[in-house]
Amino acid sequence: MATIRDIAEKAQVSISTVSRVLNYDETLSVNAATKKRIFEMAEELEYRSKNQKKRKKKLSLLLINYYSLEGEVEDPYYISVRIAIERRAAKLGYRLTSISRGDEFRQTGFDGVLCLGTFEEEEIRRIDALGLPTVFVDSNPDDTKYDSIAFELRRESRRILNYLWDCGHRKIGFIGGNDTEGTGLEENPDKRTLEYRLFMEEKGVYRPEYERIGTFTSRMGNHFMNELMALPDPPTAVFVANDSLAIGCLNAISQAGKRCPKDYSVVGFNDIPTAKYMVPPLTTMRLYMDFMGERAVDLLSDRIFTKRELPMQITLPAKLMIRESVRCLDGKEK
């Protein structure tokens, strides 16, 4: 049976660091990559703490999805997270009931709630009325009340923009979406949109005609890329807010008789499984969607079993996957 010492040796950290991470010590200063490595080693070695070993109860959890099952087809990001949640719950022997946003729900013996995506205020009030431990996945409406696990979209967006800038691109376009569409919160732009505007304004090159905002679908990406290419002075590179949009962009470029990255460079976001097989292979920001879904279940079960009152917010790291869809204008590889 694995011990904390075993995990420490494999993760190459101290025993005390492992203990504090696994016990969610909020006073510990350690980066997300180290926490991720420790949790992965604990999972690989099937480590169970003394408290966990004593736990006999199998939890009953409610998963509320932002997208319907049909809507997931347009944006596979949430499919990956949902499947990871379901897989982790099944491995732990938990009963998981999954419904879509807008479906009727009420407390029927659930121990906790997982909320995947972005929800409007009325829905949050209904969720809060259940009086159950709740984890928001990929959003956080109130960091004083709920646990959450998400990626820092603004930070990762700036990394993409810096990469394009270092490649010599000054005319950078943006095609984005809004997770709040249909929730009554449309006045709140997506964080990737906000960071794009801020970055380009800081550089003194922001051009509103280079920005397009719609839904996170390949059809929308195709439509907006055609609009950008039709401009009198089109952008040389486009930062696209997810890989579904990027698929549409690549199709539009090809259909117009142009080539990526020779004529237009494209960077996506999420790194869906097919990204590396696109033509050309897509440069994109990899979000660890499986890890987020699995850890969301662990975060919720920890709050249920320990009766922890202080909410926790976990921010996960991401990785820029540099492939072949970006051309450096100075001819140098970055």
Side-chain angles (χ1 to χ4, degrees), residues 256-276:
K258 303 294 183 178
R259 294 173 60 186
C260 174
K262 180 180 178 181
D263 299 303
Y264 300 99
S265 294
V266 175
V267 179
F269 208 96
N270 292 352
D271 195 29
I272 62 176
T274 56
K276 58 180 174 289

Side-chain angles (χ1 to χ4, degrees), residues 118-309:
T118 305
F119 298 81
E120 63 175 306
E121 292 182 5
E122 177 57 32
E123 291 171 321
I124 294 170
R125 283 194 290 268
R126 292 171 60 206
I127 293 166
D128 197 44
L130 296 175
L132 297 172
T134 300
V135 172
F136 279 85
V137 188
D138 203 42
S139 70
N140 185 10
D142 187 344
D143 59 11
T144 67
K145 183 182 297 184
Y146 309 110
D147 286 356
S148 68
I149 182 166
F151 298 97
E152 180 43 74
L153 298 183
R154 297 196 69 153
R155 179 185 65 199
E156 309 308 346
S157 296
R158 181 159 289 253
R159 288 174 59 197
I160 288 174
L161 292 162
N162 278 323
Y163 170 68
L164 289 173
W165 191 267
D166 290 344
C167 282
H169 293 280
R170 300 297 181 263
K171 296 187 290 184
I172 302 172
F174 177 76
I175 297 176
N178 200 332
D179 266 339
T180 59
E181 183 174 351
T183 68
L185 302 174
E186 287 85 349
E187 68 278 7
N188 298 321
D190 180 83
K191 292 179 180 179
R192 285 157 289 201
T193 305
L194 294 173
E195 195 60 31
Y196 166 75
R197 293 172 183 170
L198 178 61
F199 180 90
M200 300 301 281
E201 288 169 354
E202 288 175 352
K203 297 295 186 180
V205 294
Y206 177 64
R207 297 172 62 169
E209 68 270 26
Y210 280 179
E211 180 184 308
R212 297 289 187 279
I213 307 297
T215 55
F216 287 108
T217 64
S218 60
R219 183 178 68 255
M220 190 63 71
N222 186 294
H223 173 70
F224 283 154
M225 190 67 208
N226 278 315
E227 288 189 349
L228 293 178
M229 290 190 295
L231 292 173
D233 183 25
T236 60
V238 182
F239 167 30
V240 187
N242 80 350
D243 291 349
S244 295
L245 285 165
I247 291 172
C249 291
L250 294 179
N251 288 338
I253 293 169
S254 177
Q255 292 161 1
K258 303 294 183 178
R259 294 173 60 186
C260 174
K262 180 180 178 181
D263 299 303
Y264 300 99
S265 294
V266 175
V267 179
F269 208 96
N270 292 352
D271 195 29
I272 62 176
T274 56
K276 58 180 174 289
Y277 302 116
M278 295 178 191
V279 181
L282 183 66
T283 293
T284 184
M285 185 63 71
R286 172 177 290 177
L287 304 183
Y288 295 93
M289 297 167 281
D290 288 356
F291 184 80
M292 180 167 68
E294 292 168 359
R295 295 288 80 80
V297 176
D298 293 341
L299 187 60
L300 180 57
S301 62
D302 169 79
R303 187 155 193 180
I304 293 170
F305 285 125
T306 65
K307 302 187 185 304
R308 172 173 47 82
E309 294 185 3

Side-chain angles (χ1 to χ4, degrees), residues 57 60-64 95 97 99 103-113 125-134 304:
K57 181 179 180 180
S60 178
L61 307 179
L62 174 65
L63 171 60
I64 305 175
R95 181 170 68 88
T97 299
I99 65 174
D103 290 349
E104 289 296 324
F105 62 88
R106 60 183 182 277
Q107 184 173 0
T108 54
F110 295 113
D111 298 296
V113 184
R125 283 194 290 268
R126 292 171 60 206
I127 293 166
D128 197 44
L130 296 175
L132 297 172
T134 300
I304 293 170

